[in-house]
Amino acid sequence: MSTDDKARYADEKTTVDQVETGSVKEELPAPATTYEGTPEEKALLRRLDMRIMPLACILYLFAYLDRTNLGNARLQGLPQDTLGGDPTGIKFDWVNSTFFFSYILCQVPATIVSKLFPPRIWIGCAAIGWGVSSTLLATGFNFPGIPLYMSFWYTKREMGTRMAYWFGFAAVAGAFGGLIAFGIQHAHVSISNWRLLFIVEGVPTVMMGILSIWLLPDRPEETPFLNEDERKIQLERRERGLKADFGRTVNKKHITAAFNDWRIYCAGVIYFGANCALASNSAFLPTIIKTFGVSNAKAQLLTVPPYAVSAVVLTITSYYSDRIQSRGIPMSFAAVGGAIGGTYTVIGIMIAWFAHNLGSETKKATGIPMYMAIGQCGSVLGSHLFPATDGPRYTKGFAVSCALLFFAAICGIILTISYRIENKRRDDKYGQPDPDAAVDTTELADKAPMFRYVI
């Protein structure tokens, strides 16, 4: 195949049969205007960051505060008030893991359906519902879609750092949660401290959900947030390297393709190990620190430094991953580091990796929550690894978490090698594409001959 012939595949439209037989339909791409690196694009990117990132990060901050406050509530009288004292810790383990069952069952269909709604309505209502639920936990007596949404606005060269900022707020939430719990520990009110904790951390989530419905931009082609010049630039950015099933549509073939993609299940194994460590860390860190012989209040305060360090490491590693456009190796190194202590970096890079490796919006809307749902099974396991009877050493919990993270590192290497081999195979067969050429993936998603994976 001549060089000229190879260049003609940069914007191909291909069927499954044509790929299998090696005959690709020739279609010269129309000349496209690129705004990459222009002052106009940089100005738009700054505007997007100022509008989208604060809302997304603060939403996740409050959502994660609501998720991690159970561990703090444990030291503020929750087991004594509602679980009959729970001397073995098993009842608390089940309370902690209950959240993840609905997460596992609902995440895939919820994310697919989210494509049919304006993002600001979907995300805002999800935040309001979550905030209301969390707040009402104070009365107890006995967000899918953000990674997909981010891919509407950010290119693969920008995604890693933005995902780090976003997911890093989970670590920030852990730090803030410790500070808030420390303050509430000293509160003198007519209700239990743990009930006050749920109220203080739940109500702001509802308020942020309402604010998001008002301020969060919808899809680039729909939102009044952009003027026409900015819209033109953003649509070019979105299609840089990809022409997919954009818009409020669902491609059923791509849903099936996601369920048949072994790499998504491999990502699920990685996410399983990372979430096992993350869930146990969130739920049991205050309890583990308490075994050092400090007071309940000081144990809450001492949860801050580990989360702060996690946020910094996640941001630095993800920025480096963006710069070199490599995900697998940094993620595997992070998993090994996580086995020693800390798991946020693994999850942040994994989300960025698959946000641009599935080829179409529908496959992303299916594949991303698929591996996340598998990962939440790890959260259920993590919720049961640190029973009170295993204290103060908790050998079993730490051993299982470490082993799973080491296995996640191996899976990351396997995925990287697989992507490298497939990219080389396509280069040899179809030629090397322009990295920013708009590959048509509407038919085959990431299986389109000129699509190349981020490694």
Side-chain angles (χ1 to χ4, degrees), residues 67-385:
R67 285 178 59 176
T68 58
N69 57 15
L70 196 61
N72 299 116
R74 189 182 194 183
L75 298 187
Q76 295 181 333
L78 184 149
Q80 289 72 29
D81 284 357
T82 65
L83 303 177
D86 191 25
T88 65
I90 294 177
K91 291 181 180 179
F92 176 83
D93 296 349
W94 279 110
V95 169
N96 186 61
S97 62
T98 299
F99 159 76
F100 300 108
F101 292 117
S102 58
Y103 204 149
I104 293 165
L105 294 173
C106 298
Q107 189 160 353
V108 173
T111 308
I112 293 173
V113 171
S114 74
K115 268 181 60 68
L116 305 177
F117 293 87
R120 63 185 178 87
I121 302 297
W122 182 266
I123 294 171
C125 289
I128 292 170
W130 171 248
V132 170
S133 299
S134 181
T135 304
L136 290 178
L137 286 176
T139 67
F141 285 89
N142 249 2
F143 297 122
I146 285 286
L148 176 65
Y149 174 72
M150 290 290 197
S151 71
F152 298 164
W153 295 99
Y154 294 106
T155 69
K156 62 184 179 183
R157 291 184 174 88
E158 302 160 355
M159 193 72 167
T161 305
R162 271 71 185 183
M163 283 290 97
Y165 293 152
W166 175 69
F167 192 74
F169 269 73
V172 174
F176 269 109
L179 291 172
I180 294 170
F182 176 76
I184 289 178
Q185 191 79 26
H186 294 86
H188 300 286
V189 292
S190 59
I191 62 173
S192 301
N193 286 341
W194 68 268
R195 298 183 192 276
L196 180 61
L197 181 67
F198 283 125
I199 294 171
V200 168
E201 295 183 353
V203 170
T205 309
V206 179
M207 298 171 63
M208 280 303 303
I210 296 171
L211 195 63
S212 297
I213 293 176
W214 181 38
L215 291 178
L216 200 64
D218 279 328
R219 290 176 168 275
E221 66 271 20
E222 298 175 342
T223 180
F225 169 67
L226 302 177
N227 61 41
E228 288 311 308
D229 289 338
E230 290 172 331
R231 195 184 318 280
K232 186 177 180 182
I233 296 171
Q234 180 56 34
L235 291 177
E236 185 274 325
R237 282 165 45 80
R238 186 180 66 177
E239 295 184 5
R240 192 174 294 162
L242 192 69
K243 280 188 177 179
D245 54 337
F246 300 124
R248 296 189 202 172
T249 61
V250 173
N251 188 321
K252 294 180 181 179
K253 290 188 297 184
H254 291 186
I255 295 176
T256 302
F259 279 97
N260 291 332
D261 190 339
W262 70 269
R263 293 186 180 98
I264 293 176
Y265 295 99
C266 188
V269 173
I270 297 171
Y271 218 69
F272 183 99
N275 268 290
C276 178
L278 181 63
S280 57
N281 184 70
S282 301
F284 299 107
L285 184 59
T287 302
I288 293 171
I289 293 177
K290 179 70 168 59
T291 65
F292 296 166
V294 300
S295 66
N296 286 349
K298 193 170 184 179
Q300 310 277 19
L301 192 61
L302 288 176
T303 62
V304 175
Y307 286 114
V309 172
S310 296
V312 173
V313 173
L314 167 60
T315 303
I316 293 173
T317 307
S318 298
Y319 174 77
Y320 177 73
S321 172
D322 260 0
R323 289 292 300 272
I324 65 173
Q325 276 299 283
S326 176
R327 309 291 189 206
I329 300 302
M331 192 211 67
S332 294
F333 274 112
V336 172
I340 300 171
T343 184
Y344 287 92
T345 304
V346 177
I347 295 175
I349 296 179
M350 173 60 69
I351 294 172
W353 197 5
F354 273 73
H356 286 282
N357 262 12
L358 296 177
S360 76
E361 281 191 7
T362 299
K363 191 169 182 183
K364 283 188 284 188
T366 308
I368 292 174
M370 269 179 62
Y371 74 71
M372 286 184 170
I374 296 170
Q376 296 308 327
C377 296
S379 299
V380 175
L381 174 62
S383 299
H384 294 269
L385 286 180

